[in-house]
Amino acid sequence: MKRIFLAAVCAASMMMAVSAATTPAWLDESLPLEQRIDDLLPRLTLDEKIALIHAQSKFSSPGVARLGIPTFWTDDGPHGVRPDVLWDQWEQAGATNDSCVAFPALTCLAATWNPSVAHRYGVSLGEEARYRGKDMILGPGVNIYRTPLNGRNFEYMGEDPYLAAQMVAPYVKGLQSQGVSACVKHFALNNNEFERHNTNIILDDRALYEIYLPAFKAAVQQGGAWAIMGAYNLYQNQHLCHNKRMLCDILKGEWGFDGVVVSDWGGAHDTPEAIANGLDMEFGTWTNGLSEGARNAYDNYYLALPYKKLLQEGKVSMATLDEKVRRVLRLMMRTTLTTRPRGSMCSDEHYQTARQVAAEGIVLLKNDKNLLPINPAKHRRILVVGENAIKMMTVGGGSSSLKAQHEILPLDGLKTRLAGLAEVDYARGYVGDPTGEYNGVTTGQSLKDDRTPDQLIAEACDKARQADIVVFVGGLNKSLGQDAEDSDRQSYALPYDQNRLIEALAKANKNLVVVNISGNAVEMPWRKQVPAIVQGWFLGSETGTALARILMGDDNPSGKLPFSWYEKLEDCGAHAIGQYPGTKRADENIWDEEYREGIYVGYRWLDKVKRKAAFAFGHGMSYTTFTLKQGQITPGNGDVLYTANVQVTNTGKRAGSEVVQLYITDIDASVDRPEKELKGFQKVFLQPGETRVVSIPITRQDLSYYNAVQQRWIAEPGEFIARLGTASDNLPIQLKFRLD
Ligand code: BGC
């Protein structure tokens, strides 16, 4: 702590000294960025340059105290601002002002299918980050949902490149509007956690360009991201934090990225490679095999003294270092060296943002006989069952773990909402993980329960028989082996014997609602026996309020699945024909993992093999009904070749939102193409009886596939179909058009 204080004092006094003389060009915010950098770069010594490109603590790099350039602070990300840890340790710094608003996880954000909500999320998070003095948030994550076993899917935006691209760009813009850099992660192909440092991904270029890169490209080109984080794993036998093809050729070459490539923590492994292959800032955790707490750990980073030595020996050029420093200075000009908003923390507005994301992201998967919403006139005795109804979920899961100012639990949310209207009872039902601690942040909950599964099931079923409606709140949690970093799920099935409990509850009471809390799909063998199913995600601070509002019908559900909910794990291409995990090489600890399914990820695979999902990509119900009519294709102009138009009417009795989805089929393709691909969507809010025309543009890019031989996107002339509807398995309107 002493070190931080001294650095701050130095920076402040230098700033005063500088402003007393004539303002140097680099401090003049009215000048173009590059001119400011041209002025600043030559003022730096070699040591200062080297210091700028690697960490000085767990989450900071030093700036240049001599010139008054402040320390640069990063922090996780992506669901709220992580609590402050010690300078050199993962344990808590013990701050008392670092409790934040925990926003819903990114899978929930993706499920809103509402880019303006993503923008609002970014702005609110940026305001929290500013208030906490952070200059970069380590997020958002946009690795594609390739397998439901990936422990980190909850931090990402689903299986579809188009959806993820549309959602990530506004998040980045919103965050950066506050003068806080996004750090889009983990670039790229980090699609599972098992052996994440040692897995070498093998895939064809078509899959790379069509599936795994578009969201990153959108974050860079549409969102204007100022930083990107390399992934831990390997591609073409080279670690992705210093991967020539990915960082130099694609990111900085093809996409023209002018920002900073940050290593994932401890993701750098080699100085010459890191120098040559595009890494600009090294962060980490005891890299280079250093033992914990070595006094000069940061000096030994790959981009620290080892780099300086190579420079002094004339083995690498100063120009390459200057190029990295230029990028870092650009990042600082955009953040710490610019006038920016001061931010705010835990404001009512931020909680409203959290509630809106949750309200629009919760997905009503099934609702037979309109069991939901709960009607207190009919449902006088309500039984809530399940550990996730009482377990705090903002703590845990890895680096996105938070210290929330408050977290409203599902049971409490329902009790508050139903106070005076109905009786709410609770039964535990199962014991999952009663602990709650991450890096020294503890939930303070005592969830220990020594009863046997049989006893817990018997109690829950006895109570269920007396109730008018039963709300089971279960699913996964953020413990290792569930939805958590650094491990994958061991199985597609629900853990802790929950299937047995749910089946017993379904027999005890026909009015059973299952609320599944997770960032991943889970196997639901009881799906047909349960009348109502809600996908609740990890909703953060406002979990209980948001869930209660949906279950009670205060908010009308409008979330849509951002991934296919497979009936069985084998229905997923990665498991049917792809490889997961990789296979270990005989002679070294590298696992080769081949994405043999290629572009056939998610619904693209299900369409190809003619299998139905339990719940399709894009599926999500409402308490009202919508019809789509009068589809029409009209010619566009400029970049827009055509516009697909359709009339949407709210034919039910409640106001609500529907997401009109456009998928394109290339009928005359000369190459293998997916049966259909999402290429547009729009969320519309309609009063009962109201009709609106939704118009979705179709561009040449929307018709294109990536030709790996020619290394370019091609739209082939011929016939196409625009399919419009409200889910990937419900596309009633089909309109043919031609590209000449
Ligand atoms: C994670 C990153 C995270 C970083 C810093 C790494 O282990 O993979 O997502 O931003 O740690 O906490």
Side-chain angles (χ1 to χ4, degrees), residues 76 82 152 185-186 196 229 232 264-265 399 485:
D76 286 294
R82 183 177 181 161
R152 279 191 105 167
K185 65 192 191 184
H186 306 89
R196 62 179 177 170
M229 185 189 288
Y232 277 139
D264 198 345
W265 267 229
S399 53
E485 183 182 338

Side-chain angles (χ1 to χ4, degrees), residues 440-592:
V441 177
T442 49
T443 60
Q445 291 188 296
S446 158
L447 296 180
K448 201 166 162 327
D449 193 322
D450 290 330
R451 287 176 289 172
T452 64
D454 286 344
Q455 287 169 329
L456 292 165
I457 292 177
E459 182 206 40
C461 288
D462 283 348
K463 288 190 173 186
R465 280 183 211 100
Q466 317 300 317
D468 297 316
I469 190 166
V470 178
V471 180
F472 171 75
V473 188
L476 307 180
N477 53 36
K478 291 189 179 167
S479 310
L480 222 59
Q482 304 294 320
D483 281 330
E485 183 182 338
D486 208 13
S487 66
D488 281 339
R489 296 167 61 197
Q490 300 304 299
S491 139
Y492 190 41
L494 277 173
Y496 317 126
D497 221 0
Q498 289 176 79
N499 285 341
R500 187 155 71 95
L501 168 64
I502 295 170
E503 273 158 17
L505 285 172
K507 283 194 189 120
N509 191 317
K510 64 178 184 357
N511 290 336
L512 174 61
V513 181
V514 168
V515 178
N516 183 66
I517 303 289
S518 72
N520 262 312
V522 299
E523 196 174 6
M524 292 180 166
W526 34 261
R527 181 166 64 89
K528 301 218 165 89
Q529 299 145 47
V530 173
I533 308 177
V534 173
Q535 174 56 20
W537 313 115
F538 297 109
L539 299 175
S541 289
E542 291 289 289
T543 299
T545 317
L547 274 175
R549 287 185 61 83
I550 288 280
L551 294 173
M552 295 299 296
D554 305 333
D555 289 323
N556 192 350
S558 63
K560 300 277 181 177
L561 285 178
F563 50 73
S564 306
W565 200 290
Y566 304 110
E567 197 88 60
K568 297 241 164 293
L569 191 59
E570 303 73 55
D571 292 347
C572 164
H575 295 272
I577 61 158
Q579 255 187 319
Y580 170 85
T583 46
K584 190 169 178 299
R585 292 182 193 168
D587 48 348
E588 57 183 329
N589 187 26
I590 298 286
W591 298 64
D592 287 307

Side-chain angles (χ1 to χ4, degrees), residues 37-346:
I37 300 169
D38 286 342
D39 178 59
L40 178 52
L41 188 61
R43 296 174 189 261
L44 302 180
T45 66
L46 175 60
D47 285 337
E48 285 166 346
K49 288 179 183 175
I50 292 281
L52 280 176
I53 62 165
H54 67 88
Q56 62 167 359
S57 76
K58 278 268 173 266
F59 284 105
S60 72
S61 76
V64 186
R66 179 178 65 87
L67 295 174
I69 299 178
T71 291
F72 187 83
W73 284 99
T74 72
D75 205 359
D76 286 294
H79 306 141
V81 188
R82 183 177 181 161
D84 292 340
V85 298
L86 291 170
W87 189 258
D88 238 359
Q89 307 284 336
W90 289 112
E91 291 309 306
Q92 297 304 295
T96 50
N97 61 350
D98 59 350
S99 304
C100 65
V101 174
F103 298 96
L106 291 193
T107 31
C108 177
L109 177 61
T112 67
W113 291 57
N114 188 342
S116 67
V117 170
H119 187 265
R120 183 172 175 183
Y121 191 126
V123 171
S124 297
L125 179 59
E127 287 172 348
E128 298 247 327
R130 279 298 302 125
Y131 191 86
R132 292 266 309 279
K134 310 298 179 190
D135 307 307
M136 174 188 279
I137 284 292
L138 305 173
V142 280
N143 293 95
I144 289 291
Y145 185 115
R146 176 178 177 251
T147 157
L149 298 189
N150 179 16
R152 279 191 105 167
N153 277 340
F154 73 103
E155 293 182 67
Y156 303 144
M157 297 202 190
E159 75 183 27
D160 185 77
Y162 182 85
L163 175 65
Q166 296 304 307
M167 298 303 290
V168 71
Y171 176 118
V172 169
K173 277 193 188 151
L175 179 63
Q176 295 189 164
S177 71
Q178 300 307 305
V180 176
S181 177
C183 185
V184 186
K185 65 192 191 184
H186 306 89
F187 188 64
L189 304 172
N190 186 180
N191 306 100
N192 53 255
E193 289 294 287
F194 178 79
E195 287 289 341
R196 62 179 177 170
H197 295 275
N198 304 313
T199 291
N200 179 49
I201 305 301
I202 301 166
L203 85 171
D204 61 56
D205 270 8
R206 217 180 138 190
L208 179 67
Y209 277 83
E210 289 189 21
I211 305 293
Y212 296 98
L213 292 184
F216 288 103
K217 185 177 181 186
V220 168
Q221 293 191 336
Q222 290 160 38
W226 297 334
I228 211 157
M229 185 189 288
Y232 277 139
N233 48 306
L234 300 93
Y235 165 65
Q236 294 186 336
N237 294 311
Q238 208 169 49
H239 278 101
L240 279 151
C241 287
H242 30 78
N243 187 286
K244 179 174 178 307
R245 177 154 198 232
M246 210 62 93
L247 302 178
C248 303
D249 302 347
I250 297 177
L251 177 68
K252 294 182 177 179
E254 288 171 33
W255 301 349
F257 175 65
D258 71 357
V260 166
V261 174
V262 172
S263 73
D264 198 345
W265 267 229
H269 299 274
D270 182 89
T271 298
E273 262 191 23
I275 294 172
N277 293 348
L279 181 63
D280 301 309
M281 270 180 133
E282 184 188 357
F283 280 86
T285 315
W286 323 125
T287 62
N288 202 11
L290 292 168
S291 59
E292 195 161 311
R295 253 198 20 246
N296 59 347
Y298 300 99
D299 288 345
N300 289 295
Y301 272 28
Y302 295 94
L303 288 188
L305 293 181
Y307 191 176
K308 188 175 166 190
K309 187 160 174 279
L310 291 181
L311 272 161
Q312 285 168 335
E313 291 167 359
K315 292 190 176 141
V316 292
S317 79
M318 188 57 88
T320 309
L321 175 62
D322 281 349
E323 153 70 9
K324 293 181 196 298
V325 174
R326 181 169 276 279
R327 285 174 183 271
V328 175
L329 294 179
R330 196 176 288 133
L331 173 69
M332 290 175 169
M333 298 281 170
R334 287 164 164 165
T335 54
T336 53
L337 295 178
T338 193
T339 309
R340 40 185 183 159
R342 298 176 77 107
S344 54
M345 226 160 107
C346 297

